[in-house]
Amino acid sequence: MKIYLMWIIAFLLTLVLTIVFTVLFSKIKGNLFEDIRGGIPRGVGIAPFIVMVLLFPAPFNYLIAIIGITAFIDDIIG
């Protein structure tokens, strides 16, 4: 039963964080979407990244953190 609760928490937390980051990026007039093929989202993947770093066990969340930080830097560079 515990695994189902973790899935529900992860889903709800990702949903809330995605909405928050979308509104935040839109308000600061950041480059959330590029004009390539109808719009490519940039930086919105930070929400599942935060949830996975928080909910994964200790040895695995370090690897997720490294991958997520490099992916975010790649989004910023373009």
Side-chain angles (χ1 to χ4, degrees):
M1 188 71 164
K2 182 182 176 190
I3 190 74
Y4 295 117
L5 185 61
M6 292 294 282
W7 277 98
I8 292 170
I9 290 171
F11 174 75
L12 292 176
L13 191 59
T14 302
L15 176 70
V16 169
L17 285 176
T18 300
I19 293 170
V20 166
F21 285 126
T22 302
V23 170
L24 180 71
F25 287 151
S26 297
K27 293 241 187 237
I28 62 172
K29 305 288 188 218
N31 53 353
L32 182 61
F33 292 98
E34 272 190 32
D35 293 330
I36 301 172
R37 289 185 236 136
I40 298 174
R42 300 175 75 183
V44 181
I46 197 166
F49 160 69
I50 291 172
V51 172
M52 288 193 308
V53 166
L54 291 176
L55 295 180
F56 265 71
F60 303 111
N61 64 353
Y62 299 133
L63 179 62
I64 292 171
I66 292 170
I67 292 170
I69 290 169
T70 54
F72 189 68
I73 291 171
D74 179 55
D75 279 348
I76 289 173
I77 292 172

